[in-house]
Amino acid sequence: MKVSELMSNNVEWMKKNEQTWSIFYNMKEWGAKGDGVDDDRYTLDKIIQDLDGQDGVIIFPKGDYRIGTNYVIPEHVYLYFVGEGLLSPASGVTITLNGGIIAGPFPIFTGEGAFNGKPQVEHGYSEWFGAVGDAITDDTRAISRTVSLFNNSTILFFNKTYKVTLASLLNPLNSTVYQAEGTLSRFLYNNMYYPIPVHTALLSNGDDKVV
């Protein structure tokens, strides 16, 4: 499997289910500001109410969508992030994600608030919370938030070096599973490198290259 295929898995999955969903909403077309200041919770709620329990996809185009009060994304709702769209709970606010997430490994979650729930995804990415993996940027907060959201799921790491300052992140907690894209996936902690377990389904013939 090629890296580009890994990155597009969620989008391809969305396309396969397009006929099943048949209902798409665009946050900005429904009145969201996406400016990081106005509370876009009302737009989000209006869309979900309009779905009336039906499966549907909410598109988040480029923008910072601030949510000012606690909110639950139900199981039948899929959030599709494109063009630098960010979901941003305000300080003290929790967004509970029980629906699907459609996005490649790029930032989609920000803000001072919290995320929890049981997202319906095959795996999560620390990049969703802003991890860089350049061996320089401190990815501790991004990975910590990822582990918190996917505490009973799988987190996929790419062939990068993720610098962390918490030893507890070197091994998955509870039922969380770390899966690496290849043997170059590793943590940098206290000037030492720690390999992330390789997902064997991503390797071919015991090779170190992703195929």
Side-chain angles (χ1 to χ4, degrees):
M1 182 179 289
K2 296 180 180 179
V3 176
S4 58
E5 292 174 336
L6 285 170
M7 294 174 66
S8 64
N9 273 351
N10 285 333
V11 175
E12 291 302 315
W13 178 71
M14 184 200 75
K15 291 178 179 178
K16 291 178 182 178
N17 288 275
E18 188 170 357
Q19 290 184 341
T20 303
W21 292 326
S22 73
I23 304 176
F24 290 80
Y25 294 83
N26 185 302
M27 282 287 286
K28 286 195 173 177
E29 290 178 0
W30 274 68
K33 298 295 184 181
D35 58 8
V37 178
D38 289 278
D39 189 352
D40 289 324
R41 181 256 190 200
Y42 304 101
T43 299
L44 183 59
D45 187 59
K46 183 167 58 174
I47 291 173
I48 291 176
Q49 292 300 319
D50 193 71
L51 278 168
D52 195 26
Q54 300 180 80
D55 288 353
V57 177
I58 302 177
I59 299 171
F60 288 77
K62 184 177 181 178
D64 186 342
Y65 299 87
R66 180 178 178 272
I67 305 300
T69 54
N70 293 342
Y71 200 75
V72 177
I73 307 297
E75 294 180 1
H76 64 278
V77 175
Y78 298 80
L79 307 183
Y80 180 26
F81 295 88
V82 295
E84 300 178 23
L86 296 167
L87 186 58
S88 177
S91 178
V93 171
T94 297
I95 297 177
T96 302
L97 298 167
N98 292 329
I101 301 170
I102 307 164
F106 46 76
I108 60 173
F109 299 135
T110 186
E112 296 302 317
F115 293 89
N116 64 21
K118 296 181 178 179
Q120 299 181 46
V121 295
E122 182 179 354
H123 48 249
Y125 304 113
S126 60
E127 284 80 2
W128 282 351
F129 285 96
V132 178
D134 61 1
I136 298 173
T137 305
D138 186 356
D139 289 325
T140 301
R141 185 170 187 266
I143 295 175
S144 294
R145 299 185 84 185
T146 307
V147 169
S148 178
L149 179 58
F150 297 98
N151 58 10
N152 288 297
S153 304
T154 298
I155 300 172
L156 179 63
F157 292 91
F158 292 91
N159 277 328
K160 301 178 180 180
T161 299
Y162 298 86
K163 181 181 178 181
V164 297
T165 57
L166 288 178
S168 59
L169 294 178
L170 300 179
N171 296 291
L173 303 174
N174 302 323
S175 299
T176 304
V177 176
Y178 285 173
Q179 291 184 344
E181 176 194 42
T183 56
L184 297 180
S185 303
R186 58 188 183 176
F187 291 119
L188 173 60
Y189 170 73
N190 199 24
N191 295 319
M192 295 184 65
Y193 295 104
Y194 297 84
I196 300 172
V198 175
H199 179 18
T200 54
L202 300 181
L203 298 180
S204 173
N205 300 322
D207 200 342
D208 289 345
K209 296 180 180 178
V210 178
V211 297

mmCIF file of all heavy atoms in Angstrom, residues 21-68:
data_model
loop_
_atom_site.group_PDB
_atom_site.id
_atom_site.type_symbol
_atom_site.label_atom_id
_atom_site.label_comp_id
_atom_site.label_asym_id
_atom_site.label_seq_id
_atom_site.Cartn_x
_atom_site.Cartn_y
_atom_site.Cartn_z
ATOM 1 N N TRP A 21 -25.497 7.861 1.916
ATOM 2 C CA TRP A 21 -25.764 9.075 2.665
ATOM 3 C C TRP A 21 -26.708 10.002 1.896
ATOM 4 O O TRP A 21 -27.750 10.371 2.405
ATOM 5 C CB TRP A 21 -24.462 9.816 2.953
ATOM 6 C CG TRP A 21 -23.569 9.114 3.904
ATOM 7 C CD1 TRP A 21 -23.954 8.351 4.958
ATOM 8 C CD2 TRP A 21 -22.143 9.093 3.890
ATOM 9 N NE1 TRP A 21 -22.859 7.857 5.615
ATOM 10 C CE2 TRP A 21 -21.733 8.299 4.987
ATOM 11 C CE3 TRP A 21 -21.179 9.669 3.079
ATOM 12 C CZ2 TRP A 21 -20.402 8.074 5.283
ATOM 13 C CZ3 TRP A 21 -19.845 9.455 3.357
ATOM 14 C CH2 TRP A 21 -19.472 8.653 4.445
ATOM 15 N N SER A 22 -26.296 10.389 0.706
ATOM 16 C CA SER A 22 -27.083 11.243 -0.195
ATOM 17 C C SER A 22 -27.391 12.632 0.374
ATOM 18 O O SER A 22 -27.978 13.455 -0.309
ATOM 19 C CB SER A 22 -28.391 10.542 -0.601
ATOM 20 O OG SER A 22 -29.329 10.518 0.468
ATOM 21 N N ILE A 23 -27.032 12.884 1.617
ATOM 22 C CA ILE A 23 -27.324 14.183 2.225
ATOM 23 C C ILE A 23 -26.019 14.841 2.654
ATOM 24 O O ILE A 23 -25.291 14.321 3.500
ATOM 25 C CB ILE A 23 -28.253 14.030 3.449
ATOM 26 C CG1 ILE A 23 -29.541 13.301 3.053
ATOM 27 C CG2 ILE A 23 -28.591 15.396 4.022
ATOM 28 C CD1 ILE A 23 -30.461 13.024 4.213
ATOM 29 N N PHE A 24 -25.719 15.996 2.059
ATOM 30 C CA PHE A 24 -24.495 16.731 2.365
ATOM 31 C C PHE A 24 -24.844 18.159 2.758
ATOM 32 O O PHE A 24 -25.698 18.797 2.142
ATOM 33 C CB PHE A 24 -23.546 16.760 1.152
ATOM 34 C CG PHE A 24 -22.928 15.437 0.825
ATOM 35 C CD1 PHE A 24 -23.630 14.474 0.125
ATOM 36 C CD2 PHE A 24 -21.633 15.145 1.236
ATOM 37 C CE1 PHE A 24 -23.059 13.245 -0.178
ATOM 38 C CE2 PHE A 24 -21.057 13.922 0.940
ATOM 39 C CZ PHE A 24 -21.776 12.970 0.231
ATOM 40 N N TYR A 25 -24.175 18.647 3.793
ATOM 41 C CA TYR A 25 -24.364 20.023 4.242
ATOM 42 C C TYR A 25 -23.000 20.711 4.300
ATOM 43 O O TYR A 25 -22.021 20.113 4.704
ATOM 44 C CB TYR A 25 -24.988 20.064 5.636
ATOM 45 C CG TYR A 25 -26.401 19.532 5.727
ATOM 46 C CD1 TYR A 25 -26.644 18.162 5.843
ATOM 47 C CD2 TYR A 25 -27.493 20.400 5.742
ATOM 48 C CE1 TYR A 25 -27.934 17.672 5.949
ATOM 49 C CE2 TYR A 25 -28.783 19.916 5.852
ATOM 50 C CZ TYR A 25 -29.004 18.550 5.949
ATOM 51 O OH TYR A 25 -30.285 18.060 6.054
ATOM 52 N N ASN A 26 -22.972 21.972 3.924
ATOM 53 C CA ASN A 26 -21.756 22.778 4.020
ATOM 54 C C ASN A 26 -21.955 23.794 5.135
ATOM 55 O O ASN A 26 -22.927 24.570 5.118
ATOM 56 C CB ASN A 26 -21.497 23.480 2.688
ATOM 57 C CG ASN A 26 -20.192 24.247 2.670
ATOM 58 O OD1 ASN A 26 -19.950 25.136 3.488
ATOM 59 N ND2 ASN A 26 -19.341 23.935 1.711
ATOM 60 N N MET A 27 -21.055 23.790 6.118
ATOM 61 C CA MET A 27 -21.218 24.660 7.276
ATOM 62 C C MET A 27 -21.381 26.134 6.889
ATOM 63 O O MET A 27 -22.248 26.838 7.412
ATOM 64 C CB MET A 27 -20.018 24.511 8.215
ATOM 65 C CG MET A 27 -20.050 23.257 9.072
ATOM 66 S SD MET A 27 -21.286 23.320 10.406
ATOM 67 C CE MET A 27 -20.494 24.466 11.562
ATOM 68 N N LYS A 28 -20.575 26.598 5.960
ATOM 69 C CA LYS A 28 -20.644 28.019 5.596
ATOM 70 C C LYS A 28 -21.904 28.340 4.814
ATOM 71 O O LYS A 28 -22.487 29.425 4.972
ATOM 72 C CB LYS A 28 -19.385 28.419 4.821
ATOM 73 C CG LYS A 28 -18.161 28.536 5.724
ATOM 74 C CD LYS A 28 -17.019 29.254 5.056
ATOM 75 C CE LYS A 28 -15.879 29.490 6.061
ATOM 76 N NZ LYS A 28 -14.708 30.137 5.449
ATOM 77 N N GLU A 29 -22.358 27.414 4.005
ATOM 78 C CA GLU A 29 -23.587 27.647 3.260
ATOM 79 C C GLU A 29 -24.795 27.722 4.189
ATOM 80 O O GLU A 29 -25.820 28.318 3.828
ATOM 81 C CB GLU A 29 -23.779 26.551 2.218
ATOM 82 C CG GLU A 29 -22.786 26.623 1.067
ATOM 83 C CD GLU A 29 -22.968 25.496 0.070
ATOM 84 O OE1 GLU A 29 -23.875 24.658 0.275
ATOM 85 O OE2 GLU A 29 -22.216 25.452 -0.922
ATOM 86 N N TRP A 30 -24.652 27.137 5.367
ATOM 87 C CA TRP A 30 -25.741 27.180 6.347
ATOM 88 C C TRP A 30 -25.543 28.295 7.376
ATOM 89 O O TRP A 30 -26.245 28.347 8.379
ATOM 90 C CB TRP A 30 -25.885 25.821 7.037
ATOM 91 C CG TRP A 30 -26.759 24.906 6.234
ATOM 92 C CD1 TRP A 30 -26.486 24.359 5.012
ATOM 93 C CD2 TRP A 30 -28.071 24.445 6.581
ATOM 94 N NE1 TRP A 30 -27.525 23.592 4.573
ATOM 95 C CE2 TRP A 30 -28.515 23.614 5.519
ATOM 96 C CE3 TRP A 30 -28.907 24.633 7.672
ATOM 97 C CZ2 TRP A 30 -29.765 22.993 5.524
ATOM 98 C CZ3 TRP A 30 -30.146 24.001 7.688
ATOM 99 C CH2 TRP A 30 -30.569 23.204 6.618
ATOM 100 N N GLY A 31 -24.571 29.160 7.144
ATOM 101 C CA GLY A 31 -24.448 30.351 7.976
ATOM 102 C C GLY A 31 -23.303 30.409 8.951
ATOM 103 O O GLY A 31 -23.143 31.411 9.658
ATOM 104 N N ALA A 32 -22.470 29.374 9.027
ATOM 105 C CA ALA A 32 -21.331 29.406 9.951
ATOM 106 C C ALA A 32 -20.320 30.453 9.498
ATOM 107 O O ALA A 32 -20.110 30.661 8.301
ATOM 108 C CB ALA A 32 -20.674 28.038 10.026
ATOM 109 N N LYS A 33 -19.682 31.098 10.456
ATOM 110 C CA LYS A 33 -18.679 32.117 10.145
ATOM 111 C C LYS A 33 -17.300 31.505 9.918
ATOM 112 O O LYS A 33 -16.550 31.941 9.049
ATOM 113 C CB LYS A 33 -18.605 33.139 11.284
ATOM 114 C CG LYS A 33 -19.905 33.906 11.521
ATOM 115 C CD LYS A 33 -20.265 34.778 10.323
ATOM 116 C CE LYS A 33 -21.510 35.602 10.625
ATOM 117 N NZ LYS A 33 -21.911 36.441 9.464
ATOM 118 N N GLY A 34 -16.933 30.557 10.760
ATOM 119 C CA GLY A 34 -15.614 29.933 10.622
ATOM 120 C C GLY A 34 -14.473 30.909 10.838
ATOM 121 O O GLY A 34 -13.409 30.764 10.238
ATOM 122 N N ASP A 35 -14.697 31.892 11.728
ATOM 123 C CA ASP A 35 -13.682 32.925 11.952
ATOM 124 C C ASP A 35 -12.952 32.757 13.272
ATOM 125 O O ASP A 35 -12.118 33.587 13.638
ATOM 126 C CB ASP A 35 -14.313 34.320 11.883
ATOM 127 C CG ASP A 35 -15.437 34.525 12.899
ATOM 128 O OD1 ASP A 35 -15.649 33.649 13.765
ATOM 129 O OD2 ASP A 35 -16.120 35.569 12.817
ATOM 130 N N GLY A 36 -13.272 31.698 14.027
ATOM 131 C CA GLY A 36 -12.614 31.462 15.306
ATOM 132 C C GLY A 36 -13.110 32.344 16.426
ATOM 133 O O GLY A 36 -12.617 32.253 17.553
ATOM 134 N N VAL A 37 -14.080 33.207 16.135
ATOM 135 C CA VAL A 37 -14.610 34.141 17.136
ATOM 136 C C VAL A 37 -16.087 33.874 17.399
ATOM 137 O O VAL A 37 -16.500 33.644 18.538
ATOM 138 C CB VAL A 37 -14.410 35.598 16.680
ATOM 139 C CG1 VAL A 37 -15.012 36.557 17.710
ATOM 140 C CG2 VAL A 37 -12.932 35.899 16.463
ATOM 141 N N ASP A 38 -16.887 33.902 16.352
ATOM 142 C CA ASP A 38 -18.319 33.639 16.495
ATOM 143 C C ASP A 38 -18.560 32.180 16.861
ATOM 144 O O ASP A 38 -17.795 31.288 16.472
ATOM 145 C CB ASP A 38 -19.049 33.966 15.192
ATOM 146 C CG ASP A 38 -19.118 35.459 14.927
ATOM 147 O OD1 ASP A 38 -20.004 36.113 15.502
ATOM 148 O OD2 ASP A 38 -18.271 35.957 14.159
ATOM 149 N N ASP A 39 -19.645 31.951 17.601
ATOM 150 C CA ASP A 39 -19.992 30.590 18.012
ATOM 151 C C ASP A 39 -20.764 29.913 16.884
ATOM 152 O O ASP A 39 -21.907 30.275 16.596
ATOM 153 C CB ASP A 39 -20.840 30.642 19.281
ATOM 154 C CG ASP A 39 -21.061 29.265 19.891
ATOM 155 O OD1 ASP A 39 -20.692 28.266 19.252
ATOM 156 O OD2 ASP A 39 -21.611 29.198 21.009
ATOM 157 N N ASP A 40 -20.156 28.916 16.268
ATOM 158 C CA ASP A 40 -20.787 28.192 15.163
ATOM 159 C C ASP A 40 -21.551 26.967 15.623
ATOM 160 O O ASP A 40 -22.023 26.174 14.798
ATOM 161 C CB ASP A 40 -19.727 27.786 14.133
ATOM 162 C CG ASP A 40 -19.197 28.972 13.350
ATOM 163 O OD1 ASP A 40 -19.991 29.887 13.051
ATOM 164 O OD2 ASP A 40 -17.989 28.979 13.042
ATOM 165 N N ARG A 41 -21.727 26.850 16.912
ATOM 166 C CA ARG A 41 -22.475 25.717 17.447
ATOM 167 C C ARG A 41 -23.925 25.743 16.954
ATOM 168 O O ARG A 41 -24.524 24.707 16.695
ATOM 169 C CB ARG A 41 -22.420 25.768 18.973
ATOM 170 C CG ARG A 41 -23.145 24.609 19.658
ATOM 171 C CD ARG A 41 -24.458 25.030 20.236
ATOM 172 N NE ARG A 41 -25.039 24.004 21.072
ATOM 173 C CZ ARG A 41 -26.317 23.959 21.387
ATOM 174 N NH1 ARG A 41 -27.145 24.885 20.926
ATOM 175 N NH2 ARG A 41 -26.782 23.006 22.154
ATOM 176 N N TYR A 42 -24.477 26.924 16.791
ATOM 177 C CA TYR A 42 -25.868 27.040 16.386
ATOM 178 C C TYR A 42 -26.076 26.529 14.964
ATOM 179 O O TYR A 42 -27.084 25.888 14.661
ATOM 180 C CB TYR A 42 -26.313 28.497 16.512
ATOM 181 C CG TYR A 42 -26.099 29.032 17.908
ATOM 182 C CD1 TYR A 42 -25.007 29.837 18.217
ATOM 183 C CD2 TYR A 42 -26.978 28.694 18.941
ATOM 184 C CE1 TYR A 42 -24.788 30.302 19.509
ATOM 185 C CE2 TYR A 42 -26.772 29.143 20.237
ATOM 186 C CZ TYR A 42 -25.671 29.945 20.511
ATOM 187 O OH TYR A 42 -25.444 30.394 21.787
ATOM 188 N N THR A 43 -25.127 26.808 14.089
ATOM 189 C CA THR A 43 -25.201 26.283 12.723
ATOM 190 C C THR A 43 -25.085 24.771 12.722
ATOM 191 O O THR A 43 -25.844 24.067 12.033
ATOM 192 C CB THR A 43 -24.088 26.887 11.848
ATOM 193 O OG1 THR A 43 -24.245 28.298 11.789
ATOM 194 C CG2 THR A 43 -24.142 26.317 10.444
ATOM 195 N N LEU A 44 -24.140 24.253 13.484
ATOM 196 C CA LEU A 44 -23.947 22.812 13.573
ATOM 197 C C LEU A 44 -25.215 22.136 14.075
ATOM 198 O O LEU A 44 -25.663 21.127 13.517
ATOM 199 C CB LEU A 44 -22.769 22.509 14.507
ATOM 200 C CG LEU A 44 -22.353 21.052 14.670
ATOM 201 C CD1 LEU A 44 -21.956 20.442 13.332
ATOM 202 C CD2 LEU A 44 -21.197 20.944 15.668
ATOM 203 N N ASP A 45 -25.811 22.705 15.106
ATOM 204 C CA ASP A 45 -27.029 22.133 15.674
ATOM 205 C C ASP A 45 -28.191 22.206 14.681
ATOM 206 O O ASP A 45 -28.985 21.263 14.570
ATOM 207 C CB ASP A 45 -27.392 22.858 16.968
ATOM 208 C CG ASP A 45 -28.544 22.196 17.695
ATOM 209 O OD1 ASP A 45 -28.413 21.003 18.045
ATOM 210 O OD2 ASP A 45 -29.579 22.854 17.897
ATOM 211 N N LYS A 46 -28.281 23.316 13.945
ATOM 212 C CA LYS A 46 -29.353 23.478 12.958
ATOM 213 C C LYS A 46 -29.270 22.403 11.882
ATOM 214 O O LYS A 46 -30.288 21.840 11.463
ATOM 215 C CB LYS A 46 -29.266 24.874 12.340
ATOM 216 C CG LYS A 46 -30.369 25.193 11.346
ATOM 217 C CD LYS A 46 -30.401 26.679 11.011
ATOM 218 C CE LYS A 46 -29.084 27.165 10.433
ATOM 219 N NZ LYS A 46 -29.170 28.584 9.987
ATOM 220 N N ILE A 47 -28.052 22.105 11.437
ATOM 221 C CA ILE A 47 -27.869 21.078 10.412
ATOM 222 C C ILE A 47 -28.255 19.704 10.946
ATOM 223 O O ILE A 47 -28.975 18.939 10.294
ATOM 224 C CB ILE A 47 -26.406 21.070 9.923
ATOM 225 C CG1 ILE A 47 -26.102 22.338 9.141
ATOM 226 C CG2 ILE A 47 -26.129 19.831 9.075
ATOM 227 C CD1 ILE A 47 -24.640 22.497 8.760
ATOM 228 N N ILE A 48 -27.781 19.380 12.149
ATOM 229 C CA ILE A 48 -28.064 18.062 12.718
ATOM 230 C C ILE A 48 -29.556 17.898 12.983
ATOM 231 O O ILE A 48 -30.129 16.821 12.768
ATOM 232 C CB ILE A 48 -27.222 17.842 13.984
ATOM 233 C CG1 ILE A 48 -25.743 17.706 13.592
ATOM 234 C CG2 ILE A 48 -27.688 16.595 14.747
ATOM 235 C CD1 ILE A 48 -24.794 17.569 14.750
ATOM 236 N N GLN A 49 -30.207 18.969 13.403
ATOM 237 C CA GLN A 49 -31.657 18.913 13.593
ATOM 238 C C GLN A 49 -32.367 18.687 12.264
ATOM 239 O O GLN A 49 -33.366 17.966 12.182
ATOM 240 C CB GLN A 49 -32.152 20.196 14.249
ATOM 241 C CG GLN A 49 -31.709 20.393 15.688
ATOM 242 C CD GLN A 49 -32.180 19.269 16.604
ATOM 243 O OE1 GLN A 49 -33.308 18.789 16.499
ATOM 244 N NE2 GLN A 49 -31.292 18.836 17.502
ATOM 245 N N ASP A 50 -31.846 19.304 11.202
ATOM 246 C CA ASP A 50 -32.458 19.143 9.887
ATOM 247 C C ASP A 50 -32.302 17.719 9.368
ATOM 248 O O ASP A 50 -33.164 17.225 8.629
ATOM 249 C CB ASP A 50 -31.828 20.128 8.894
ATOM 250 C CG ASP A 50 -32.617 20.240 7.595
ATOM 251 O OD1 ASP A 50 -33.727 20.812 7.623
ATOM 252 O OD2 ASP A 50 -32.140 19.734 6.563
ATOM 253 N N LEU A 51 -31.215 17.055 9.746
ATOM 254 C CA LEU A 51 -31.021 15.660 9.349
ATOM 255 C C LEU A 51 -32.099 14.757 9.935
ATOM 256 O O LEU A 51 -32.463 13.738 9.345
ATOM 257 C CB LEU A 51 -29.642 15.167 9.797
ATOM 258 C CG LEU A 51 -28.473 15.514 8.896
ATOM 259 C CD1 LEU A 51 -27.155 15.219 9.588
ATOM 260 C CD2 LEU A 51 -28.566 14.746 7.584
ATOM 261 N N ASP A 52 -32.583 15.119 11.109
ATOM 262 C CA ASP A 52 -33.690 14.393 11.744
ATOM 263 C C ASP A 52 -33.416 12.890 11.848
ATOM 264 O O ASP A 52 -34.270 12.059 11.540
ATOM 265 C CB ASP A 52 -34.990 14.645 10.966
ATOM 266 C CG ASP A 52 -36.229 14.228 11.747
ATOM 267 O OD1 ASP A 52 -36.166 14.214 13.000
ATOM 268 O OD2 ASP A 52 -37.249 13.906 11.104
ATOM 269 N N GLY A 53 -32.183 12.559 12.243
ATOM 270 C CA GLY A 53 -31.836 11.163 12.472
ATOM 271 C C GLY A 53 -31.323 10.426 11.256
ATOM 272 O O GLY A 53 -30.900 9.268 11.366
ATOM 273 N N GLN A 54 -31.349 11.055 10.080
ATOM 274 C CA GLN A 54 -30.841 10.411 8.870
ATOM 275 C C GLN A 54 -29.317 10.523 8.802
ATOM 276 O O GLN A 54 -28.737 11.470 9.318
ATOM 277 C CB GLN A 54 -31.431 11.073 7.630
ATOM 278 C CG GLN A 54 -32.941 11.022 7.536
ATOM 279 C CD GLN A 54 -33.422 11.705 6.267
ATOM 280 O OE1 GLN A 54 -33.392 11.129 5.182
ATOM 281 N NE2 GLN A 54 -33.855 12.944 6.401
ATOM 282 N N ASP A 55 -28.684 9.568 8.132
ATOM 283 C CA ASP A 55 -27.248 9.650 7.909
ATOM 284 C C ASP A 55 -26.943 10.835 7.001
ATOM 285 O O ASP A 55 -27.651 11.076 6.019
ATOM 286 C CB ASP A 55 -26.725 8.378 7.248
ATOM 287 C CG ASP A 55 -26.716 7.192 8.192
ATOM 288 O OD1 ASP A 55 -26.995 7.395 9.394
ATOM 289 O OD2 ASP A 55 -26.439 6.073 7.728
ATOM 290 N N GLY A 56 -25.910 11.582 7.326
ATOM 291 C CA GLY A 56 -25.542 12.731 6.512
ATOM 292 C C GLY A 56 -24.121 13.170 6.768
ATOM 293 O O GLY A 56 -23.511 12.800 7.781
ATOM 294 N N VAL A 57 -23.590 13.962 5.857
ATOM 295 C CA VAL A 57 -22.219 14.449 5.933
ATOM 296 C C VAL A 57 -22.233 15.967 6.074
ATOM 297 O O VAL A 57 -22.912 16.670 5.322
ATOM 298 C CB VAL A 57 -21.431 14.071 4.659
ATOM 299 C CG1 VAL A 57 -20.018 14.643 4.721
ATOM 300 C CG2 VAL A 57 -21.384 12.562 4.491
ATOM 301 N N ILE A 58 -21.479 16.458 7.056
ATOM 302 C CA ILE A 58 -21.329 17.905 7.241
ATOM 303 C C ILE A 58 -19.926 18.286 6.796
ATOM 304 O O ILE A 58 -18.933 17.793 7.336
ATOM 305 C CB ILE A 58 -21.558 18.308 8.703
ATOM 306 C CG1 ILE A 58 -22.949 17.881 9.166
ATOM 307 C CG2 ILE A 58 -21.391 19.823 8.866
ATOM 308 C CD1 ILE A 58 -23.235 18.165 10.624
ATOM 309 N N ILE A 59 -19.841 19.170 5.822
ATOM 310 C CA ILE A 59 -18.557 19.583 5.263
ATOM 311 C C ILE A 59 -18.045 20.821 5.993
ATOM 312 O O ILE A 59 -18.783 21.805 6.159
ATOM 313 C CB ILE A 59 -18.698 19.882 3.761
ATOM 314 C CG1 ILE A 59 -19.166 18.613 3.023
ATOM 315 C CG2 ILE A 59 -17.378 20.369 3.180
ATOM 316 C CD1 ILE A 59 -19.542 18.856 1.582
ATOM 317 N N PHE A 60 -16.787 20.768 6.407
ATOM 318 C CA PHE A 60 -16.121 21.896 7.047
ATOM 319 C C PHE A 60 -15.060 22.439 6.090
ATOM 320 O O PHE A 60 -13.942 21.940 6.057
ATOM 321 C CB PHE A 60 -15.474 21.473 8.366
ATOM 322 C CG PHE A 60 -16.439 21.184 9.476
ATOM 323 C CD1 PHE A 60 -17.149 19.986 9.497
ATOM 324 C CD2 PHE A 60 -16.651 22.106 10.493
ATOM 325 C CE1 PHE A 60 -18.054 19.716 10.521
ATOM 326 C CE2 PHE A 60 -17.554 21.847 11.516
ATOM 327 C CZ PHE A 60 -18.255 20.653 11.524
ATOM 328 N N PRO A 61 -15.412 23.461 5.296
ATOM 329 C CA PRO A 61 -14.400 24.064 4.412
ATOM 330 C C PRO A 61 -13.427 24.917 5.226
ATOM 331 O O PRO A 61 -13.541 24.989 6.459
ATOM 332 C CB PRO A 61 -15.232 24.919 3.459
ATOM 333 C CG PRO A 61 -16.450 25.278 4.248
ATOM 334 C CD PRO A 61 -16.717 24.095 5.151
ATOM 335 N N LYS A 62 -12.491 25.554 4.568
ATOM 336 C CA LYS A 62 -11.471 26.341 5.250
ATOM 337 C C LYS A 62 -12.089 27.305 6.253
ATOM 338 O O LYS A 62 -13.014 28.050 5.946
ATOM 339 C CB LYS A 62 -10.639 27.124 4.237
ATOM 340 C CG LYS A 62 -9.496 27.903 4.867
ATOM 341 C CD LYS A 62 -8.655 28.591 3.807
ATOM 342 C CE LYS A 62 -7.487 29.355 4.432
ATOM 343 N NZ LYS A 62 -6.624 29.982 3.410
ATOM 344 N N GLY A 63 -11.572 27.264 7.493
ATOM 345 C CA GLY A 63 -12.088 28.132 8.545
ATOM 346 C C GLY A 63 -11.876 27.515 9.910
ATOM 347 O O GLY A 63 -11.568 26.329 10.042
ATOM 348 N N ASP A 64 -12.037 28.325 10.945
ATOM 349 C CA ASP A 64 -11.909 27.902 12.339
ATOM 350 C C ASP A 64 -13.297 27.960 12.955
ATOM 351 O O ASP A 64 -13.815 29.043 13.246
ATOM 352 C CB ASP A 64 -10.930 28.824 13.073
ATOM 353 C CG ASP A 64 -10.625 28.354 14.484
ATOM 354 O OD1 ASP A 64 -11.402 27.544 15.030
ATOM 355 O OD2 ASP A 64 -9.623 28.810 15.056
ATOM 356 N N TYR A 65 -13.924 26.800 13.153
ATOM 357 C CA TYR A 65 -15.311 26.722 13.592
ATOM 358 C C TYR A 65 -15.367 26.565 15.105
ATOM 359 O O TYR A 65 -15.240 25.465 15.640
ATOM 360 C CB TYR A 65 -16.030 25.581 12.875
ATOM 361 C CG TYR A 65 -16.051 25.772 11.376
ATOM 362 C CD1 TYR A 65 -14.987 25.314 10.582
ATOM 363 C CD2 TYR A 65 -17.093 26.455 10.760
ATOM 364 C CE1 TYR A 65 -14.979 25.517 9.211
ATOM 365 C CE2 TYR A 65 -17.089 26.674 9.386
ATOM 366 C CZ TYR A 65 -16.029 26.200 8.626
ATOM 367 O OH TYR A 65 -16.018 26.417 7.257
ATOM 368 N N ARG A 66 -15.554 27.679 15.773
ATOM 369 C CA ARG A 66 -15.572 27.706 17.238
ATOM 370 C C ARG A 66 -16.914 27.200 17.757
ATOM 371 O O ARG A 66 -17.973 27.600 17.282
ATOM 372 C CB ARG A 66 -15.321 29.128 17.727
ATOM 373 C CG ARG A 66 -15.328 29.290 19.245
ATOM 374 C CD ARG A 66 -15.034 30.727 19.633
ATOM 375 N NE ARG A 66 -15.088 30.926 21.071
ATOM 376 C CZ ARG A 66 -16.208 31.232 21.724
ATOM 377 N NH1 ARG A 66 -17.337 31.394 21.058
ATOM 378 N NH2 ARG A 66 -16.190 31.391 23.041
ATOM 379 N N ILE A 67 -16.836 26.295 18.747
ATOM 380 C CA ILE A 67 -18.028 25.766 19.408
ATOM 381 C C ILE A 67 -17.995 26.238 20.853
ATOM 382 O O ILE A 67 -17.066 25.923 21.589
ATOM 383 C CB ILE A 67 -18.072 24.226 19.335
ATOM 384 C CG1 ILE A 67 -17.956 23.755 17.883
ATOM 385 C CG2 ILE A 67 -19.348 23.704 19.994
ATOM 386 C CD1 ILE A 67 -19.049 24.259 16.965
ATOM 387 N N GLY A 68 -19.009 27.019 21.249
ATOM 388 C CA GLY A 68 -18.978 27.706 22.541
ATOM 389 C C GLY A 68 -19.621 26.972 23.698
ATOM 390 O O GLY A 68 -19.473 27.392 24.849
#
